[in-house]
Amino acid sequence: MTQPSIDSEINLDGTKRTLSNRHVQMIAIGGTIGTGLFLGAGSTISKSGPTIILLYAVIGLLFFFMMRSIGEMLYSQPDQHTFVGFITKYLGKGTGVFAGLTYWLALIFAGMSELTAIANYVKYWFPDWNSALIEIGFLIILALLNILAAKAFGETEFWFALIKIIAIVALIVTGVFMALTGFKTPKGTSSFGNVFTNFSLFPNGFHNFLGSIPMVFFAMAGMEFVGITIGETKNPRQVLKKAINETVYRILLFYIGALFVIMSIIPWTSITPDRSPFVQVFQIVGFPAAAAVINFVVLTSAASALNSVLFSSGRHLFQLSQELGFKPLDKITKSGIPSRAVLTSATLLLFAPVIVSIPAISNAFQFVTSGASDLYIVVYILTMVAHRQYRKSADFMPDGFKMPFYEVTSPVTIAAFSLIFFSLFSNSDDVIPASGAIAWVILFGGFCFFKYRGQKIAA
């Protein structure tokens, strides 16, 4: 099959290269900075205290290495529409089909978490509104935006992401000022020293520290969205290096900076685990109107992350339908959008209000985030293994965008992701999703292995 020029405006599959560098940067940031930070940070801070900053730094470093492995493969083959395609190419069709469906399901679970959070944020103002109707309304609006055109999606995501970035920067600047001036709050005096006062590596025990790892991982998951947008980006190689490096650096800065400032403004022991620490901070310091503004920001943040999930899940389902020859979803609109795949993904997200209504699930948000994390980890590990096979292949570019210190960072990243998976068993609400993920790997993974053994997808 003839490969398209990387300067071409239209890919062979019919999708169009209409996204610019600013779109790519914001889509990646928008897909990553979401409920994991704005809502989930309350849980992680309450479990691990200031140690959570170190945990974000370590897991962020692992994501940097994974992103560089994806970037290395994309730089050599920028026509590849999603990074999961490399798993198919280097590990075989069975592994590729398994990874494609697994990653798509991970995105669906991630989208459910954003929908669940959206309902929580809207009910801050309208506590009597029905959660399911709120979720359905937002889902319809964002699905329609996604099937208009990639550029329309890119513009929407750009402004969504910009709102939350401005909010985080404003929080950091305000918090630094409060700490430097010794601002008085009902919980004490704001000071950088609050972060280190009576510091303990595991203030609530090692078990609680382990329990905070899954949410930190989930907060970082989605960073690979930058690799999904490259297939619809102008000048992909030129954009790729800058997009991957700058996205990782900015996300780490925003996460670590925001958490440090939050724990400087008020003691970390005063943060309620099941509420957004951003909203809590402004309420505690006596700015209820500002708390409402921040609630709006975290609402747009969740909408932004959901927007990115719809974009990504639609592209993955479309590619999978092409590889499997599933014609009903293998359709592109005149504007270059896999609309049927996007709408199918959106329809499955409607299971979010169903999960919320199940009495046996005490924490629906944590349940769906755990389900997403389990599946993300499996695909991330397979991606790293595919990268190792790429290094042995004729496609390897010695002068390309290489992963740094590959001989050490590759096996360490794979081992660390494996350990993160088992940390999911430290939370009671995560045990069912984690066990389900193991069953999925054994049963569906085994099915794909035997069904597609020895088969390859035509080049």
Side-chain angles (χ1 to χ4, degrees):
M1 181 181 290
T2 303
Q3 295 297 323
S5 165
I6 61 173
D7 297 319
S8 173
E9 292 294 321
I10 302 178
N11 296 312
L12 286 178
D13 60 13
T15 53
K16 297 182 178 181
R17 294 185 181 274
T18 57
L19 299 176
S20 66
N21 179 53
R22 70 184 178 92
H23 292 140
V24 171
Q25 292 278 352
M26 288 301 190
I27 289 168
I29 292 173
T32 305
I33 299 179
T35 52
L37 173 63
F38 287 111
L39 182 58
S43 169
T44 55
I45 290 174
S46 66
K47 287 181 177 179
S48 296
T51 305
I52 202 65
I53 294 175
L54 177 62
L55 191 55
Y56 269 98
V58 171
I59 293 181
L61 187 62
L62 295 175
F63 270 88
F64 171 74
F65 291 134
M66 184 194 72
M67 288 300 300
R68 287 297 298 266
S69 72
I70 292 174
E72 181 175 349
M73 293 186 286
L74 280 170
Y75 189 85
S76 71
Q77 301 155 70
D79 58 290
Q80 189 69 47
H81 200 61
T82 72
F83 70 92
V84 175
F86 294 116
I87 297 175
T88 303
K89 182 170 185 177
Y90 298 114
L91 300 182
K93 183 175 180 178
T95 309
V97 170
F98 168 76
L101 273 173
T102 300
Y103 188 72
W104 179 64
L105 282 177
L107 292 171
I108 297 300
F109 272 105
M112 288 181 187
S113 74
E114 305 301 341
L115 267 181
T116 303
I118 284 172
N120 289 338
Y121 296 144
V122 171
K123 293 182 81 167
Y124 175 86
W125 295 292
F126 307 103
D128 296 329
W129 282 20
N130 182 275
S131 295
L133 292 179
I134 295 170
E135 293 173 10
I136 292 170
F138 268 85
L139 187 58
I140 290 173
I141 293 170
L142 293 178
L144 289 175
L145 282 173
N146 265 269
I147 62 176
L148 288 176
K151 191 170 183 179
F153 158 78
E155 284 297 324
T156 305
E157 187 58 27
F158 176 84
W159 293 106
F160 268 160
L162 188 61
I163 289 173
K164 64 178 137 184
I165 289 170
I166 290 172
I168 294 172
V169 171
L171 174 78
I172 292 174
V173 171
T174 302
V176 169
F177 173 79
M178 293 170 67
L180 290 175
T181 57
F183 188 89
K184 304 291 184 181
T185 77
K187 300 295 182 179
T189 303
S190 298
S191 168
F192 296 132
N194 286 338
V195 180
F196 306 103
T197 301
N198 299 319
F199 177 79
S200 172
L201 195 58
F202 309 119
N204 289 321
F206 185 69
H207 185 267
N208 271 311
F209 170 77
L210 282 179
S212 65
I213 292 176
M215 186 58 72
V216 175
F217 173 85
F218 177 76
M220 294 283 181
M223 202 180 293
E224 72 284 351
F225 284 3
V226 66
I228 297 165
T229 59
I230 292 301
E232 294 176 51
T233 304
K234 301 171 185 176
N235 306 314
R237 279 187 176 149
Q238 179 181 337
V239 170
L240 182 65
K241 289 184 178 181
K242 186 175 183 181
I244 286 182
N245 285 337
E246 291 190 3
T247 297
V248 174
Y249 300 152
R250 288 173 183 173
I251 287 172
L252 281 174
L253 174 64
F254 291 147
Y255 271 104
I256 293 173
L259 293 173
F260 186 86
V261 164
I262 286 170
M263 288 185 282
S264 297
I265 295 174
I266 56 175
W268 68 269
T269 51
S270 301
I271 295 173
T272 305
D274 58 350
R275 296 180 59 219
S276 169
F278 285 74
V279 175
Q280 290 180 63
V281 162
F282 282 101
Q283 287 179 325
I284 287 173
V285 299
F287 297 119
V293 171
I294 292 297
N295 194 71
F296 169 76
V297 170
V298 295
L299 171 61
T300 60
S301 170
S304 162
L306 178 59
N307 203 28
S308 291
V309 162
L310 285 169
F311 179 93
S312 178
S313 61
R315 268 62 181 177
H316 272 283
L317 187 58
F318 168 69
Q319 176 170 315
L320 199 60
S321 67
Q322 283 195 314
E323 293 176 352
L324 298 178
F326 189 61
K327 295 299 181 183
L329 296 179
D330 184 10
K331 302 294 181 183
I332 285 284
T333 64
K334 291 181 179 179
S335 56
I337 302 297
S339 58
R340 293 185 182 181
V342 171
L343 291 175
T344 300
S345 297
T347 301
L348 274 189
L349 288 172
L350 292 174
F351 277 101
V354 176
I355 291 174
V356 171
S357 65
I358 298 175
I361 300 176
S362 60
N363 188 330
F365 177 72
Q366 185 166 332
F367 183 89
V368 292
T369 57
S370 175
S373 297
D374 300 332
L375 300 174
Y376 273 132
I377 292 173
V378 172
V379 178
Y380 290 166
I381 292 173
L382 289 175
T383 301
M384 296 297 298
V385 174
H387 175 252
R388 295 182 68 82
Q389 293 302 114
Y390 157 80
R391 279 286 184 121
K392 300 174 184 177
S393 73
D395 298 325
F396 173 54
M397 292 178 63
D399 57 346
F401 183 46
K402 294 197 298 183
M403 178 185 183
F405 310 110
Y406 160 77
E407 291 79 5
V408 175
T409 56
S410 176
V412 166
T413 303
I414 292 172
F417 279 148
S418 301
L419 291 174
I420 289 172
F421 181 90
F422 289 104
S423 74
L424 290 159
F425 289 94
S426 60
N427 291 322
S428 58
D429 287 321
D430 294 340
V431 172
I432 293 176
S435 301
I438 292 175
W440 171 264
V441 171
I442 295 172
L443 297 177
F444 185 65
F447 169 79
C448 289
F449 174 78
F450 288 108
K451 180 175 176 61
Y452 298 104
R453 184 166 43 184
Q455 292 187 35
K456 294 183 178 180
I457 289 178

